[in-house]
Amino acid sequence: MMAPRALGSDTYYQRPILKEPVWIWTVPMYFYIGGVSGAALVFGAVTRLIGGPVLRPLVRKCHWVGFVGGGVGSALLIADLGRPERFLAMLRVFRLRSPMSVGSWILALAPPCAGAAAVFGDPVSSLTAGLLGIPLTGYTAVLIANTTIPVWHEARTSLPALFIGSAITSAAQLLKLLPLKLPWQARKALNTFGIIGSVSELAAGWVVEQQVSRVPIVGSPLHEGLSGALWKASKVMTVAGLALSIFGRSRSAFRAGAVLGTTGAIALRFAIFHAGKASARDPRATFQLQRHDALLPPGDDGEPYQIEPETKRQTR
Amino acid sequence: MPKGFFTDTTVCIGCKACEVACKQWNQLPDDGFNFTGMSYDNTGELGSSTWRHVAFIERPVPLGGNLGSHFSWLMLSDVCKHCANAGCLDACPTGAIIRTEFDSVFVQPDVCNGCGYCVTGCPFGVINRRHDDGRVWKCTLCYDRQKVGMEPACAKACPTDSIVFGEIAELREKAQARVEQLHERGMQEAYLYGADAAGQPGTGGLNAFFLLVDKPEVYNLPPTPAAPAKTVEQSWRAMAFAGLGMVMVAAFSVLSARGSRP
């Protein structure tokens, strides 16, 4: 049973209903670095298995990137904790229902495996690191989708593809940028990996936009404000980087493409992060989405009611 | 034995004794002495150091059964709902958030490491991290008082029994009877918010539920709140497919480079 519709505003003085995520910049930065780390581990394991002797020099480099990325990523996450000295409490329990718990375990296990694979080069640790790399790349998307933040929760089936596509771009472009001695075949493999990554990143981004715009106000952070600007910038940079990766003929064009792909991927993570913050600040996103899904009549989410001087006199 | 609150907003007089009693008993720090300028509500919202919050709604709408007035005040003492399916509890990666023997949701301060994930899991925007302390805090349903058989400080302090503490099953009966009484008196708009799982499947029902006389949004309550963990499987499945795609893309890139000629 629902009460009849009242006059005036259907938000509480337009105050937020949700709490803004308390996370700082280190978290979206980790989304990027964790993605690089995971995708590099997957690429390393696949290359180890089917790359043959020609591509073998690439394998260890992938594992090193995975190892260092996992370490730096962990440090970024610990820096965000309210009580950093209690970071080990993350491994106190294992809870399938909490993506943060699952992710903590993955992040705790992946770097040691990557380190072992980098040092010993054995197929077992390489493969284990690669298998852990898959969820390491994608769990962050599951983590933010599994919240009450409307713009994140609405994209819950497309965000993983977006994050994984973006992680492929990130890992490929970073490995291209690092001053490594690689055979030309390895560079070609990385370039192909990055191109398909960017294409899937753009495609998944389009799907995310469609999904979150089901109720227009929910999708507005991707078009407005800081998050909207970052989202647009990310798309432009990714497209430019992709074009240079495909059509670039010179070494400098290739490097420029790699830089653009990297900055595009970082901008994407920050765009999604800030879109979530904006979504939490706007009570209309939560209210309109829930009314829409529950088939409730639309409300009036405009300006709060102001008492007119005449009304005041009447009630006196 | 599940225990909780029934908050009857029709008898709330907005005295904020609950806010004060809560602050005092739980020794909560102040949250700034801010003047909102929007109403008599200068508290604004629930937060890490505000576990009771009285909302003030001024409407140019008469209340059913009240003659001769074109205006009405609505007041609601908001609190953590201690949901049967609690989003914060599902989210907590450290096991710091537990369900107590009284069926309430409690954050263990000696375990919480302030990761902030529960903050995004609460559909009511209740739980939050305290800046100076680094941990998350919210209403404990006076776990310490309940342990020794005392009622929570806010319910004890409420002068009109707008906040009633007791066993959930009894509270539901009491609340239903109150709704019927109000309907008889002409206040047809009275209804219960979150009284059971049938009325609010997303949260499985609230251990702190409310009697309201306008839409939930008016009180800054969501119309159909839900703990997000219900849909997490969809995301894991999508991730598994995308991950499989990543492996295939890697295999294609490697094989095509391996077999190519300069």
Side-chain angles (χ1 to χ4, degrees):
Chain A
M1 185 171 44
M2 199 51 66
R5 194 181 166 317
L7 290 174
S9 171
D10 284 351
T11 67
Y12 185 67
Y13 304 96
Q14 295 172 310
R15 296 185 69 91
I17 177 161
L18 298 176
K19 289 284 179 284
E20 222 178 281
V22 292
W23 300 323
I24 56 171
W25 64 271
T26 57
V27 170
M29 204 58 210
Y30 164 73
F31 290 171
Y32 165 75
I33 287 173
V36 167
S37 171
L41 290 180
V42 171
F43 195 73
V46 170
T47 310
R48 179 76 173 77
L49 282 181
I50 56 171
V54 184
L55 293 178
R56 188 52 62 89
L58 190 55
V59 175
R60 278 201 172 174
K61 275 141 196 164
C62 286
H63 290 319
W64 276 119
V65 167
F67 173 70
V68 175
V72 173
S74 306
L76 286 170
L77 286 185
I78 291 170
D80 174 69
L81 292 178
R83 288 283 173 108
E85 75 279 8
R86 288 189 184 173
F87 74 95
L88 272 177
M90 287 295 187
L91 307 181
R92 201 175 150 261
V93 290
F94 175 74
R95 304 179 71 180
L96 263 177
R97 275 174 90 77
S98 167
M100 177 88 85
S101 173
V102 176
S104 300
W105 279 98
I106 292 164
L107 184 59
L109 294 173
C113 289
V119 173
F120 305 116
D122 63 303
V124 176
S125 39
S126 175
L127 193 64
T128 317
L131 282 174
L132 286 166
I134 299 172
L136 181 61
T137 316
Y139 92 86
T140 44
V142 179
L143 185 146
I144 62 165
N146 182 50
T147 62
T148 53
I149 311 290
V151 73
W152 289 346
H153 191 247
E154 278 296 276
R156 60 188 173 275
T157 53
S158 53
L159 269 182
L162 177 66
F163 273 34
I164 286 179
S166 173
I168 295 174
T169 312
S170 314
Q173 306 298 22
L174 187 74
L175 279 159
K176 276 160 73 182
L177 277 176
L178 290 176
L180 304 172
K181 269 195 183 152
L182 291 172
W184 66 268
Q185 289 96 334
R187 295 215 171 263
K188 185 168 188 297
L190 284 174
N191 205 45
T192 314
F193 196 49
I195 287 170
I196 306 178
S198 293
V199 170
S200 21
E201 178 182 339
L202 290 165
W206 183 81
V207 179
V208 166
E209 252 186 86
Q210 299 305 306
Q211 286 193 335
V212 299
S213 302
R214 189 168 65 90
V215 174
I217 190 102
V218 175
S220 63
L222 291 185
H223 307 294
E224 294 165 9
L226 175 63
S227 51
L230 283 167
W231 180 253
K232 249 177 234 127
S234 147
K235 274 198 280 195
V236 170
M237 288 189 279
T238 306
V239 168
L242 177 63
L244 285 171
S245 296
I246 298 174
F247 303 112
R249 286 287 168 267
S250 67
R251 211 185 150 82
S252 53
F254 254 56
R255 290 190 77 82
V259 170
L260 281 167
T262 301
T263 47
I266 296 174
L268 176 97
R269 308 309 179 101
F270 276 86
I272 295 289
F273 176 71
H274 285 290
K277 290 208 167 205
S279 195
R281 280 193 297 267
D282 190 350
R284 297 171 303 169
T286 299
F287 290 159
Q288 291 186 19
L289 180 63
Q290 294 188 5
R291 277 191 216 121
H292 180 272
D293 288 349
L295 305 173
L296 296 169
D300 170 14
D301 296 329
E303 289 291 315
Y305 168 73
Q306 298 289 325
I307 302 170
E308 305 279 331
E310 275 173 287
T311 323
K312 264 186 181 167
R313 237 173 278 133
Q314 275 175 12
T315 49
R316 217 171 267 157
Chain B
M1 189 62 75
K3 287 190 172 176
F5 292 126
F6 163 51
T7 306
D8 180 354
T9 64
T10 58
V11 289
C12 179
I13 54 170
C15 70
K16 303 189 194 179
C18 50
E19 285 190 18
V20 175
C22 175
K23 284 258 184 198
Q24 197 170 25
W25 177 264
N26 294 298
Q27 302 185 341
L28 299 177
D30 76 78
D31 34 24
F33 297 94
N34 302 314
F35 182 65
T36 62
M38 64 188 192
S39 73
Y40 285 118
D41 175 8
N42 289 310
T43 308
E45 62 198 49
L46 291 171
S48 51
S49 52
T50 306
W51 301 348
R52 270 280 178 191
H53 158 236
V54 181
F56 286 71
I57 300 106
E58 307 166 31
R59 309 181 306 165
V61 188
L63 210 53
N66 286 10
L67 298 172
S69 173
H70 300 284
F71 184 86
S72 54
W73 282 97
L74 306 180
M75 288 152 233
L76 170 140
S77 179
D78 199 9
V79 68
C80 169
K81 281 73 181 175
H82 298 275
C83 316
N85 296 327
C88 60
L89 201 158
D90 284 339
C92 182
T94 63
I97 305 185
I98 55 160
R99 193 167 292 283
T100 70
E101 64 270 38
F102 307 109
D103 217 34
S104 54
V105 179
F106 177 70
V107 188
Q108 302 176 89
D110 55 333
V111 180
C112 175
N113 66 6
C115 74
Y117 194 35
C118 54
V119 176
T120 61
C122 175
F124 299 98
V126 171
I127 196 164
N128 208 355
R129 194 159 84 182
R130 202 178 284 164
H131 301 296
D132 53 353
D133 172 284
R135 292 170 292 182
V136 298
W137 297 91
K138 70 167 191 70
C139 163
T140 66
L141 228 148
C142 278
Y143 189 37
D144 49 351
R145 289 174 65 94
Q146 280 205 65
K147 276 272 191 197
V148 292
M150 291 161 80
E151 69 175 321
C154 54
K156 181 86 182 168
C158 181
T160 62
D161 261 356
S162 171
I163 302 169
V164 187
F165 171 76
E167 281 173 24
I168 294 293
E170 279 176 26
L171 290 180
R172 278 189 193 140
E173 279 173 33
K174 201 178 267 185
Q176 200 50 52
R178 174 66 179 159
V179 169
E180 279 157 27
Q181 185 188 41
L182 287 169
H183 285 183
E184 274 168 30
R185 292 183 186 174
M187 204 184 275
Q188 292 297 329
E189 54 267 58
Y191 70 105
L192 296 180
Y193 176 83
D196 49 34
Q200 203 173 83
T203 60
L206 309 176
N207 283 348
F209 61 96
F210 301 85
L211 188 156
L212 306 179
V213 295
D214 201 342
K215 293 205 277 192
E217 299 97 300
V218 170
Y219 301 91
N220 217 12
L221 293 170
T224 58
K230 292 200 164 189
T231 51
V232 71
E233 264 175 47
Q234 298 172 10
S235 300
W236 281 122
R237 210 174 300 130
M239 195 211 82
F241 278 116
L244 196 66
M246 171 166 59
V247 173
M248 277 157 39
V249 168
F252 172 78
S253 312
V254 167
L255 288 178
S256 66
R258 197 183 154 185
S260 68
R261 285 158 201 279

